[in-house]
Amino acid sequence: MTGVRTGRAVVLEEFGRPLSLREFAIPPAPDGGMIVACGHGGVCGTDLHLCQGHLAIPTPLVLGHEGLGVVRELGPGTHRDATGAELAAGDAVMWASSIACGVCPPCRLHHEPTLCENRRTYGVNRSLNDGPELAGSWADHIVLHPGTTVVKAAEGVDPLAAMSLACAGPTVVHALYERRPVRLGEVVVVQGSGPVGLAAAAFAQLAGAAKVILVGGPAERLERAARAGIGDVHLDIADADDPERVLAEVRAATGGAGADLVIECAGVPAAVAQGLTLARRGGSYLVIGQYTDAGDTLINPHQIVHRQLDVIGSWAFTGAHLVEYVRLLPALTARFDLASLVTSFPLERHADALAAVADGSVMKAVLTS
C-alpha cells in the first residue's frame, strides 16, 4: 500500500469519559483480509450504551460497527466479495460488523450464528490490546479480518442513503425474513421512530403491507419519517400527556381489531406491555428493540393468551442479512428518501455526533473522513 501510513480513529478509553482521537499505524492487509478507507462510520444507539458502560466490553477500543468505505489494499487470498463479485482496490464496500466462530453450539448445532457465543464485532469487542488497533469504523481506515462478510456497495446509491440504515437495515432483514415475515395485505404497527423503527416500517411497506402505523416520537422524528415516505400513519406517543389516548388512536387506525403484526423497535421496556395490546387476536408481536438490558417491565400475560399471540424475539444480524440489505438498497432508495435521514459530522466532531444522537436532535448521525 502506498500513501498514508497512519490513520486517525476515535477511541473509547474509559466508560463515561470523553472519547479521544488518536493516530495509529496502518499495518499491511492481513491474509484473507483487507484495508479499507472508511469514508463513513455510522453512530448507532448502541454506541451510546457502549460509552456509558452498559455493555461488558473491553477497553480501550476503536468504536464504530457500521461502515462504508473504499478498498485500499487486499491481503493475499482476498479476491471476491460475499456475492462472488471480484474485488479490487478502489471498490466501494460495506462489511458486516460481526464474525461468528462457526464452532460453538449456536453456530454448529442450532444454525443461529447471530447467537454465536464467541462473536467478534468491530467497534464493540476488539480491544486495542488485541491488535490491530484499527478495528472500528469511527476511523479513516479499518483493518478487516479474514472471515468478514464484505459486499460491494450498491451501485448508484448515495453512500449516505446506504448508511441511513446500515445497522438497522440488516437487523430488520433478519427479523422480517427469518423470524416473522410481513405478509401481503397485513396491517403493521411499528413502535419506535428511530433507525430500527424506520427500517421496520420501510421494509414492511416494501413487502406489501396494506397499512403501516408508526408510533413513536418526538414529533420532529415522525415528521421526518413522513417526509421520507416511511409509514402511512404517524402517531406521537413520546410527547403525549395521555399515552392511553394515543394507543386508542393506534387501534382505531388498524380498523379497531388490532394489527396483524406489531413490531417493537423502541428499546423502552414499557413499550412491550403497550405493544401486546395493539395486536389483533391471533396476531404476532415481534420484539427487536430490546437490544440493551434497560430493565424490567410489568406485562399482563392475559393479553398474550387472550389474543393467542405469537411473541417472537430477533437478535442482531449476520453477513447474509447485510448482503440482502445491500441488494434491496436500490428498491428502498427508489421509494424512500433515506439520505434525508442522515446528518454528517467530520471525524473530529465525534462528540457532537454522539450528543446529537443522545438528545434525539438527529435521526441518524454518520461520521465522515
Side-chain angles (χ1 to χ4, degrees), residues 313-334:
S314 187
W315 176 262
F317 67 92
T318 69
H321 304 123
L322 173 69
V323 171
E324 293 305 320
Y325 169 67
V326 173
R327 282 176 171 164
L328 283 167
L329 273 169
L332 284 166
T333 53

PDB file of all heavy atoms in Angstrom, residues 313-334:
ATOM      1  N   GLY A 313     -38.787 -13.019  19.381  1.00  0.00           N
ATOM      2  CA  GLY A 313     -37.639 -12.135  19.524  1.00  0.00           C
ATOM      3  C   GLY A 313     -36.692 -12.294  18.346  1.00  0.00           C
ATOM      4  O   GLY A 313     -36.658 -13.335  17.683  1.00  0.00           O
ATOM      5  N   SER A 314     -35.928 -11.257  18.072  1.00  0.00           N
ATOM      6  CA  SER A 314     -34.929 -11.308  16.990  1.00  0.00           C
ATOM      7  C   SER A 314     -33.707 -10.526  17.425  1.00  0.00           C
ATOM      8  O   SER A 314     -33.825  -9.381  17.870  1.00  0.00           O
ATOM      9  CB  SER A 314     -35.503 -10.725  15.700  1.00  0.00           C
ATOM     10  OG  SER A 314     -34.598 -10.910  14.619  1.00  0.00           O
ATOM     11  N   TRP A 315     -32.539 -11.144  17.291  1.00  0.00           N
ATOM     12  CA  TRP A 315     -31.288 -10.576  17.804  1.00  0.00           C
ATOM     13  C   TRP A 315     -30.296 -10.332  16.668  1.00  0.00           C
ATOM     14  O   TRP A 315     -29.893 -11.265  15.977  1.00  0.00           O
ATOM     15  CB  TRP A 315     -30.676 -11.542  18.820  1.00  0.00           C
ATOM     16  CG  TRP A 315     -29.334 -11.164  19.372  1.00  0.00           C
ATOM     17  CD1 TRP A 315     -28.121 -11.626  18.945  1.00  0.00           C
ATOM     18  CD2 TRP A 315     -29.060 -10.258  20.438  1.00  0.00           C
ATOM     19  NE1 TRP A 315     -27.110 -11.058  19.684  1.00  0.00           N
ATOM     20  CE2 TRP A 315     -27.664 -10.217  20.610  1.00  0.00           C
ATOM     21  CE3 TRP A 315     -29.876  -9.477  21.276  1.00  0.00           C
ATOM     22  CZ2 TRP A 315     -27.057  -9.423  21.579  1.00  0.00           C
ATOM     23  CZ3 TRP A 315     -29.261  -8.689  22.227  1.00  0.00           C
ATOM     24  CH2 TRP A 315     -27.880  -8.671  22.382  1.00  0.00           C
ATOM     25  N   ALA A 316     -29.933  -9.069  16.462  1.00  0.00           N
ATOM     26  CA  ALA A 316     -28.797  -8.693  15.607  1.00  0.00           C
ATOM     27  C   ALA A 316     -28.951  -9.202  14.162  1.00  0.00           C
ATOM     28  O   ALA A 316     -30.060  -9.390  13.665  1.00  0.00           O
ATOM     29  CB  ALA A 316     -27.489  -9.161  16.231  1.00  0.00           C
ATOM     30  N   PHE A 317     -27.807  -9.415  13.494  1.00  0.00           N
ATOM     31  CA  PHE A 317     -27.819  -9.878  12.107  1.00  0.00           C
ATOM     32  C   PHE A 317     -26.494 -10.526  11.759  1.00  0.00           C
ATOM     33  O   PHE A 317     -25.513 -10.399  12.493  1.00  0.00           O
ATOM     34  CB  PHE A 317     -28.117  -8.722  11.144  1.00  0.00           C
ATOM     35  CG  PHE A 317     -27.043  -7.661  11.067  1.00  0.00           C
ATOM     36  CD1 PHE A 317     -26.026  -7.733  10.132  1.00  0.00           C
ATOM     37  CD2 PHE A 317     -27.061  -6.563  11.919  1.00  0.00           C
ATOM     38  CE1 PHE A 317     -25.038  -6.754  10.051  1.00  0.00           C
ATOM     39  CE2 PHE A 317     -26.093  -5.580  11.845  1.00  0.00           C
ATOM     40  CZ  PHE A 317     -25.073  -5.673  10.912  1.00  0.00           C
ATOM     41  N   THR A 318     -26.479 -11.213  10.633  1.00  0.00           N
ATOM     42  CA  THR A 318     -25.264 -11.835  10.116  1.00  0.00           C
ATOM     43  C   THR A 318     -24.861 -11.169   8.808  1.00  0.00           C
ATOM     44  O   THR A 318     -25.576 -10.321   8.273  1.00  0.00           O
ATOM     45  CB  THR A 318     -25.469 -13.336   9.860  1.00  0.00           C
ATOM     46  OG1 THR A 318     -26.371 -13.479   8.738  1.00  0.00           O
ATOM     47  CG2 THR A 318     -26.039 -14.049  11.072  1.00  0.00           C
ATOM     48  N   GLY A 319     -23.744 -11.640   8.268  1.00  0.00           N
ATOM     49  CA  GLY A 319     -23.298 -11.127   6.982  1.00  0.00           C
ATOM     50  C   GLY A 319     -24.307 -11.362   5.875  1.00  0.00           C
ATOM     51  O   GLY A 319     -24.467 -10.533   4.969  1.00  0.00           O
ATOM     52  N   ALA A 320     -25.008 -12.483   5.926  1.00  0.00           N
ATOM     53  CA  ALA A 320     -26.012 -12.779   4.901  1.00  0.00           C
ATOM     54  C   ALA A 320     -27.125 -11.736   4.897  1.00  0.00           C
ATOM     55  O   ALA A 320     -27.655 -11.367   3.834  1.00  0.00           O
ATOM     56  CB  ALA A 320     -26.595 -14.167   5.125  1.00  0.00           C
ATOM     57  N   HIS A 321     -27.481 -11.243   6.070  1.00  0.00           N
ATOM     58  CA  HIS A 321     -28.526 -10.218   6.149  1.00  0.00           C
ATOM     59  C   HIS A 321     -28.024  -8.879   5.612  1.00  0.00           C
ATOM     60  O   HIS A 321     -28.791  -8.120   5.011  1.00  0.00           O
ATOM     61  CB  HIS A 321     -28.998 -10.065   7.596  1.00  0.00           C
ATOM     62  CG  HIS A 321     -29.481 -11.357   8.181  1.00  0.00           C
ATOM     63  ND1 HIS A 321     -28.948 -11.897   9.326  1.00  0.00           N
ATOM     64  CD2 HIS A 321     -30.427 -12.237   7.763  1.00  0.00           C
ATOM     65  CE1 HIS A 321     -29.562 -13.039   9.601  1.00  0.00           C
ATOM     66  NE2 HIS A 321     -30.447 -13.267   8.659  1.00  0.00           N
ATOM     67  N   LEU A 322     -26.733  -8.589   5.810  1.00  0.00           N
ATOM     68  CA  LEU A 322     -26.165  -7.379   5.213  1.00  0.00           C
ATOM     69  C   LEU A 322     -26.217  -7.463   3.691  1.00  0.00           C
ATOM     70  O   LEU A 322     -26.555  -6.488   3.009  1.00  0.00           O
ATOM     71  CB  LEU A 322     -24.722  -7.174   5.676  1.00  0.00           C
ATOM     72  CG  LEU A 322     -23.992  -6.030   4.976  1.00  0.00           C
ATOM     73  CD1 LEU A 322     -24.568  -4.675   5.377  1.00  0.00           C
ATOM     74  CD2 LEU A 322     -22.492  -6.070   5.262  1.00  0.00           C
ATOM     75  N   VAL A 323     -25.882  -8.625   3.146  1.00  0.00           N
ATOM     76  CA  VAL A 323     -25.920  -8.798   1.690  1.00  0.00           C
ATOM     77  C   VAL A 323     -27.316  -8.495   1.168  1.00  0.00           C
ATOM     78  O   VAL A 323     -27.486  -7.793   0.149  1.00  0.00           O
ATOM     79  CB  VAL A 323     -25.481 -10.224   1.303  1.00  0.00           C
ATOM     80  CG1 VAL A 323     -25.739 -10.482  -0.181  1.00  0.00           C
ATOM     81  CG2 VAL A 323     -24.004 -10.436   1.616  1.00  0.00           C
ATOM     82  N   GLU A 324     -28.347  -9.000   1.839  1.00  0.00           N
ATOM     83  CA  GLU A 324     -29.713  -8.750   1.392  1.00  0.00           C
ATOM     84  C   GLU A 324     -30.079  -7.270   1.514  1.00  0.00           C
ATOM     85  O   GLU A 324     -30.780  -6.725   0.649  1.00  0.00           O
ATOM     86  CB  GLU A 324     -30.703  -9.605   2.192  1.00  0.00           C
ATOM     87  CG  GLU A 324     -30.571 -11.093   1.926  1.00  0.00           C
ATOM     88  CD  GLU A 324     -30.689 -11.435   0.451  1.00  0.00           C
ATOM     89  OE1 GLU A 324     -31.537 -10.836  -0.246  1.00  0.00           O
ATOM     90  OE2 GLU A 324     -29.923 -12.296  -0.023  1.00  0.00           O
ATOM     91  N   TYR A 325     -29.609  -6.624   2.572  1.00  0.00           N
ATOM     92  CA  TYR A 325     -29.864  -5.182   2.715  1.00  0.00           C
ATOM     93  C   TYR A 325     -29.266  -4.413   1.540  1.00  0.00           C
ATOM     94  O   TYR A 325     -29.934  -3.557   0.938  1.00  0.00           O
ATOM     95  CB  TYR A 325     -29.282  -4.683   4.035  1.00  0.00           C
ATOM     96  CG  TYR A 325     -29.264  -3.174   4.172  1.00  0.00           C
ATOM     97  CD1 TYR A 325     -30.456  -2.450   4.259  1.00  0.00           C
ATOM     98  CD2 TYR A 325     -28.063  -2.466   4.194  1.00  0.00           C
ATOM     99  CE1 TYR A 325     -30.451  -1.068   4.373  1.00  0.00           C
ATOM    100  CE2 TYR A 325     -28.048  -1.091   4.312  1.00  0.00           C
ATOM    101  CZ  TYR A 325     -29.244  -0.385   4.393  1.00  0.00           C
ATOM    102  OH  TYR A 325     -29.223   0.983   4.497  1.00  0.00           O
ATOM    103  N   VAL A 326     -28.021  -4.728   1.188  1.00  0.00           N
ATOM    104  CA  VAL A 326     -27.370  -4.019   0.087  1.00  0.00           C
ATOM    105  C   VAL A 326     -28.114  -4.283  -1.219  1.00  0.00           C
ATOM    106  O   VAL A 326     -28.306  -3.383  -2.045  1.00  0.00           O
ATOM    107  CB  VAL A 326     -25.888  -4.429  -0.014  1.00  0.00           C
ATOM    108  CG1 VAL A 326     -25.244  -3.838  -1.266  1.00  0.00           C
ATOM    109  CG2 VAL A 326     -25.129  -3.971   1.233  1.00  0.00           C
ATOM    110  N   ARG A 327     -28.575  -5.518  -1.412  1.00  0.00           N
ATOM    111  CA  ARG A 327     -29.332  -5.844  -2.626  1.00  0.00           C
ATOM    112  C   ARG A 327     -30.636  -5.054  -2.712  1.00  0.00           C
ATOM    113  O   ARG A 327     -31.113  -4.727  -3.800  1.00  0.00           O
ATOM    114  CB  ARG A 327     -29.638  -7.339  -2.648  1.00  0.00           C
ATOM    115  CG  ARG A 327     -28.468  -8.225  -3.058  1.00  0.00           C
ATOM    116  CD  ARG A 327     -28.848  -9.679  -2.963  1.00  0.00           C
ATOM    117  NE  ARG A 327     -27.828 -10.555  -3.539  1.00  0.00           N
ATOM    118  CZ  ARG A 327     -27.748 -11.852  -3.327  1.00  0.00           C
ATOM    119  NH1 ARG A 327     -28.626 -12.447  -2.531  1.00  0.00           N
ATOM    120  NH2 ARG A 327     -26.794 -12.573  -3.895  1.00  0.00           N
ATOM    121  N   LEU A 328     -31.233  -4.784  -1.560  1.00  0.00           N
ATOM    122  CA  LEU A 328     -32.516  -4.086  -1.537  1.00  0.00           C
ATOM    123  C   LEU A 328     -32.375  -2.568  -1.588  1.00  0.00           C
ATOM    124  O   LEU A 328     -33.379  -1.869  -1.781  1.00  0.00           O
ATOM    125  CB  LEU A 328     -33.287  -4.474  -0.276  1.00  0.00           C
ATOM    126  CG  LEU A 328     -33.962  -5.848  -0.298  1.00  0.00           C
ATOM    127  CD1 LEU A 328     -34.420  -6.235   1.093  1.00  0.00           C
ATOM    128  CD2 LEU A 328     -35.144  -5.840  -1.261  1.00  0.00           C
ATOM    129  N   LEU A 329     -31.165  -2.051  -1.413  1.00  0.00           N
ATOM    130  CA  LEU A 329     -30.998  -0.601  -1.359  1.00  0.00           C
ATOM    131  C   LEU A 329     -31.526   0.134  -2.599  1.00  0.00           C
ATOM    132  O   LEU A 329     -32.151   1.199  -2.459  1.00  0.00           O
ATOM    133  CB  LEU A 329     -29.531  -0.249  -1.114  1.00  0.00           C
ATOM    134  CG  LEU A 329     -29.127  -0.193   0.365  1.00  0.00           C
ATOM    135  CD1 LEU A 329     -27.618  -0.095   0.508  1.00  0.00           C
ATOM    136  CD2 LEU A 329     -29.820   0.977   1.078  1.00  0.00           C
ATOM    137  N   PRO A 330     -31.312  -0.370  -3.827  1.00  0.00           N
ATOM    138  CA  PRO A 330     -31.895   0.350  -4.974  1.00  0.00           C
ATOM    139  C   PRO A 330     -33.415   0.472  -4.878  1.00  0.00           C
ATOM    140  O   PRO A 330     -33.980   1.529  -5.185  1.00  0.00           O
ATOM    141  CB  PRO A 330     -31.462  -0.509  -6.174  1.00  0.00           C
ATOM    142  CG  PRO A 330     -30.176  -1.143  -5.727  1.00  0.00           C
ATOM    143  CD  PRO A 330     -30.398  -1.458  -4.269  1.00  0.00           C
ATOM    144  N   ALA A 331     -34.086  -0.593  -4.433  1.00  0.00           N
ATOM    145  CA  ALA A 331     -35.543  -0.529  -4.293  1.00  0.00           C
ATOM    146  C   ALA A 331     -35.943   0.399  -3.146  1.00  0.00           C
ATOM    147  O   ALA A 331     -36.916   1.163  -3.258  1.00  0.00           O
ATOM    148  CB  ALA A 331     -36.104  -1.929  -4.062  1.00  0.00           C
ATOM    149  N   LEU A 332     -35.200   0.345  -2.058  1.00  0.00           N
ATOM    150  CA  LEU A 332     -35.501   1.212  -0.908  1.00  0.00           C
ATOM    151  C   LEU A 332     -35.328   2.682  -1.273  1.00  0.00           C
ATOM    152  O   LEU A 332     -36.179   3.523  -0.947  1.00  0.00           O
ATOM    153  CB  LEU A 332     -34.597   0.853   0.269  1.00  0.00           C
ATOM    154  CG  LEU A 332     -34.935  -0.422   1.040  1.00  0.00           C
ATOM    155  CD1 LEU A 332     -33.765  -0.823   1.935  1.00  0.00           C
ATOM    156  CD2 LEU A 332     -36.192  -0.223   1.875  1.00  0.00           C
ATOM    157  N   THR A 333     -34.211   3.004  -1.925  1.00  0.00           N
ATOM    158  CA  THR A 333     -33.940   4.412  -2.231  1.00  0.00           C
ATOM    159  C   THR A 333     -34.835   4.934  -3.358  1.00  0.00           C
ATOM    160  O   THR A 333     -35.046   6.139  -3.466  1.00  0.00           O
ATOM    161  CB  THR A 333     -32.460   4.612  -2.605  1.00  0.00           C
ATOM    162  OG1 THR A 333     -32.096   3.708  -3.653  1.00  0.00           O
ATOM    163  CG2 THR A 333     -31.561   4.356  -1.402  1.00  0.00           C
ATOM    164  N   ALA A 334     -35.370   4.029  -4.194  1.00  0.00           N
ATOM    165  CA  ALA A 334     -36.314   4.461  -5.222  1.00  0.00           C
ATOM    166  C   ALA A 334     -37.647   4.887  -4.605  1.00  0.00           C
ATOM    167  O   ALA A 334     -38.355   5.735  -5.149  1.00  0.00           O
ATOM    168  CB  ALA A 334     -36.547   3.340  -6.227  1.00  0.00           C
TER     169      ALA A 334
END
